[in-house]
Amino acid sequence: MRRRHNSDKDADKRNSQTPIPSKSDSEHSSHKRVFALCLAFRIVNSVLVQTYFNPDEHWQGPEVAHSVAFGYGHLTWEWKQGIRSYLHPMIFVPLYRLLELLRLDTPWIMMRAPRLLQSVFSAVGDLYMYKLSAVLFGDSVAKWALFSQLSNWFMFYCFSRTLSNSLETVFTLVSLYFWPCLRSKSNCSFVSRKWGLVVAAFACAIRPTSAITWMYVGLLELLSARDRFKFVFLEVAPIGILGFPVMIFSHLPFCIAGIIYSKQWKLSGLLAWVLGFYSLLGHKEFRFVLPVLPIALMFSGYSLAVIKDPGYAEYKGKETSKKHTGFPPKMGFAILFLLATNIPMALYMSLVHQRGPEDVMNHLAREALHGKLKSILFLTPCHATPYYSMLHHNLPMQFLDCTPSEEKGVPDESDRFLMDPVPFVSEYAKNMSLPSHIVLFDSEEQKLRNLLISFDYREEKRFFNAHFKVDRDLQASIVVYVRTR
């Protein structure tokens, strides 16, 4: 009996020495798995994005970084006048220098490396969207919110691109996670507010228009904070001074339902504020509201959680005691609907629509690598293709300028060409030496073919671009002409 008693004591002692995983350890392990999943997804995402969306993706990021890293690259008029911040382009400078050091700066890698780097940042944004959803709504909603984000076609199309909007979105998600007024008092730490302010300052430094978001969120915090003097003068002011030296059509029903069921009026108010503010601006682009798209997708995730477990709405987002292991038919239909409406769109926009500019630059980069290229003239709307950041050879290149004129009503060089291409090129040939290669869209090529042939040019390569027009006439293909003499 004594031996058994002693063995029981020894067992209890061993059990007491065995560490029991804490909730924070479990959450940390879960977050690591979520990040690994998001990172793998975004890396594949970045490789699949092979189309041209907006000139700023190349001309305001990698092109500027290429100029800094290698000493050549085109700086648009905004940079020459000093109205742009180097904070975003400088992110790509170490990457370019590392590729050069390792002799990996080949056309294929130079084309994809910046997006691969952005995919790492995007995965961080996905993780913090998941963490923010878990804090506000619970783990079940967080999983479905992440599903909504990863399945959304516009996030797939845009988030891994080297747009400043993409990095702004990442910083916005991280800073909202640390923002106290969006949380309930039971899980709110006011120490985290400083981190939220620091990250928000970076978001505004990269894109000053991010202040639209933080005007609203900052006002909410000011109204709910007890220590308003400390918030304004000891946190916002110092950090602010240091910090400044749709896409969802298929998700829309789920987003609306999520807003109604969750009753998260502060978050829904942020959506309304940002969308309303941008609707008043003269210049509108879908990418401008990218930072609040994940918030809308959180509500979509909430709706999916309610469809799977109706008790979620009743318990106001808290985990219900009853486990729902079944999979309601409505849930299967909702998932199928989202995948069927988003996956084809994501793949078409990322792999097909407007892929010509990137294909043609990849071709020219290979030609330059083999010494078959001497100079290039781009007879396209200005900034319609990538430039030195993808060619990666210091060769003479020229494109049609579209720097804003100081005189109102005076068309720029790009507009004059598009209005009447033949006289423009004829005049150009008289005053300038002809390049070895000319790049132009088929809509202008049809008008200039005979003239180009008279100048001893022949068609070298033709690349598909688009099935339908966007801003101008249909630009179905982009063509490379080479001079034979």
Side-chain angles (χ1 to χ4, degrees):
M1 291 292 292
R2 184 174 296 174
R3 287 182 180 176
R4 178 179 291 181
H5 181 70
N6 289 338
S7 65
D8 290 345
K9 277 189 173 182
D10 293 339
D12 292 340
K13 187 176 181 180
R14 285 194 302 270
N15 290 335
S16 66
Q17 292 175 347
T18 303
I20 300 174
S22 64
K23 184 179 179 181
S24 59
D25 291 337
S26 176
E27 285 182 351
H28 182 68
S29 177
S30 173
H31 292 162
K32 287 175 67 175
R33 290 194 299 271
V34 169
F35 178 71
L37 168 67
C38 295
L39 181 60
F41 181 87
R42 290 302 176 194
I43 288 174
V44 174
N45 183 178
S46 70
V47 174
L48 288 177
V49 171
Q50 300 174 24
T51 55
Y52 196 79
F53 172 37
N54 186 277
D56 284 3
E57 177 185 1
H58 299 280
W59 291 80
Q60 307 297 358
E63 186 68 22
V64 179
H66 193 279
S67 177
V68 175
F70 301 109
Y72 64 97
H74 184 86
L75 299 181
T76 58
W77 65 273
E78 300 101 320
W79 298 94
K80 293 174 182 177
Q81 294 187 10
I83 62 175
R84 289 269 186 176
S85 167
Y86 276 85
L87 183 59
H88 179 236
M90 288 302 291
I91 293 171
F92 304 106
V93 173
L95 173 66
Y96 281 149
R97 287 181 173 162
L98 178 63
L99 292 176
E100 182 187 34
L101 179 65
L102 299 176
R103 297 184 178 180
L104 293 174
D105 50 337
T106 64
W108 192 91
I109 294 179
M110 289 295 291
M111 178 179 179
R112 289 168 175 79
R115 286 176 182 163
L116 284 169
L117 178 60
Q118 175 58 39
S119 71
V120 178
F121 299 133
S122 299
V124 173
D126 292 330
L127 171 64
Y128 273 88
M129 187 264 201
Y130 172 86
K131 293 172 69 173
L132 179 60
S133 300
V135 166
L136 297 179
F137 303 116
D139 292 337
S140 182
V141 170
K143 294 173 184 176
W144 289 112
L146 183 62
F147 168 79
S148 296
Q149 171 123 324
L150 297 183
S151 66
N152 182 261
W153 75 267
F154 193 77
M155 293 299 292
F156 188 93
Y157 177 60
C158 201
F159 206 20
S160 63
R161 294 184 183 272
T162 52
L163 291 160
S164 59
N165 309 88
S166 301
L167 198 57
E168 176 197 9
T169 302
V170 175
F171 282 132
T172 299
L173 288 168
V174 174
S175 52
L176 286 176
Y177 173 76
F178 288 113
W179 208 251
C181 71
L182 297 179
R183 302 182 177 206
S184 63
K185 293 182 180 179
S186 59
N187 62 8
C188 181
S189 170
F190 282 88
V191 178
S192 67
R193 187 170 63 194
K194 294 179 181 178
W195 284 110
L197 283 167
V198 169
V199 182
F202 276 108
C204 293
I206 287 175
R207 281 190 62 81
T209 51
S210 189
I212 295 171
T213 299
W214 294 105
M215 285 167 58
Y216 174 87
V217 180
L219 182 62
L220 284 181
E221 181 63 26
L222 181 64
L223 294 175
S224 61
R226 295 180 180 178
D227 48 350
R228 294 177 183 175
F229 179 88
K230 176 184 176 183
F231 172 61
V232 174
F233 294 101
L234 300 183
E235 294 181 7
V236 173
I239 293 174
I241 292 171
L242 293 174
F244 286 96
V246 274
M247 299 79 68
I248 61 168
F249 292 126
S250 58
H251 288 265
L252 190 59
F254 302 97
C255 295
I256 295 173
I259 291 171
I260 295 171
Y261 280 121
S262 67
K263 299 180 182 178
Q264 280 281 352
W265 306 121
K266 292 179 180 179
L267 271 185
S268 55
L270 174 58
L271 274 175
W273 167 264
V274 174
L275 294 174
F277 200 100
Y278 274 115
S279 69
L280 298 176
L281 299 181
H283 179 63
K284 303 178 182 68
E285 293 186 43
F286 289 137
R287 63 190 176 96
F288 290 167
V289 295
L290 184 66
V292 296
L293 178 57
I295 296 172
L297 296 175
M298 288 183 199
F299 291 116
S300 174
Y302 191 95
S303 295
L304 291 172
V306 170
I307 292 173
K308 186 175 187 299
D309 179 5
Y312 230 90
E314 181 181 348
Y315 286 86
K316 298 181 181 179
K318 297 179 181 179
E319 303 292 345
T320 56
S321 57
K322 183 180 178 180
K323 297 293 182 181
H324 291 260
T325 56
F327 207 72
K330 289 182 180 179
M331 191 65 179
F333 175 79
I335 293 174
L336 183 63
F337 174 76
L338 289 177
L339 294 179
T341 53
N342 281 276
I343 291 178
M345 190 69 168
L347 293 178
Y348 179 79
M349 296 299 292
S350 300
L351 290 170
V352 180
H353 181 61
Q354 294 189 154
R355 66 170 297 134
E358 301 212 357
D359 284 344
V360 76
M361 290 308 299
N362 202 23
H363 165 73
L364 293 172
R366 289 195 301 267
E367 294 290 288
L369 188 64
H370 295 104
K372 298 179 181 179
L373 192 64
K374 295 180 180 179
S375 57
I376 311 172
L377 170 63
F378 293 89
L379 290 176
T380 62
C382 72
H383 308 144
T385 68
Y387 214 51
Y388 283 109
S389 62
M390 194 172 288
L391 186 77
H392 194 49
H393 283 81
N394 194 5
L395 298 172
M397 294 202 297
Q398 187 175 355
F399 65 94
L400 302 175
D401 184 49
C402 57
T403 302
S405 174
E406 295 181 359
E407 300 179 23
K408 291 184 178 180
V410 177
D412 56 43
E413 193 175 47
S414 178
D415 289 333
R416 293 201 309 273
F417 167 76
L418 292 173
M419 286 188 291
D420 206 344
V422 174
F424 183 94
V425 175
S426 299
E427 188 67 23
Y428 178 92
K430 293 178 184 177
N431 301 322
M432 307 287 288
S433 59
L434 293 174
S436 65
H437 290 69
I438 291 178
V439 178
L440 70 169
F441 286 107
D442 66 320
S443 53
E444 282 69 49
E445 182 242 356
Q446 296 169 10
K447 304 171 185 176
L448 291 169
R449 183 183 292 118
N450 293 334
L451 183 61
L452 292 176
I453 292 173
S454 71
F455 291 144
D456 299 314
Y457 284 96
R458 63 171 176 82
E459 181 182 326
E460 181 190 50
K461 197 83 172 177
R462 184 178 294 265
F463 299 92
F464 168 80
N465 184 55
H467 289 112
F468 55 89
K469 65 179 182 179
V470 182
D471 296 324
R472 301 178 177 88
D473 294 336
L474 173 62
Q475 297 169 335
S477 59
I478 188 168
V479 193
V480 179
Y481 273 77
V482 60
R483 201 169 190 214
T484 57
R485 177 183 71 149

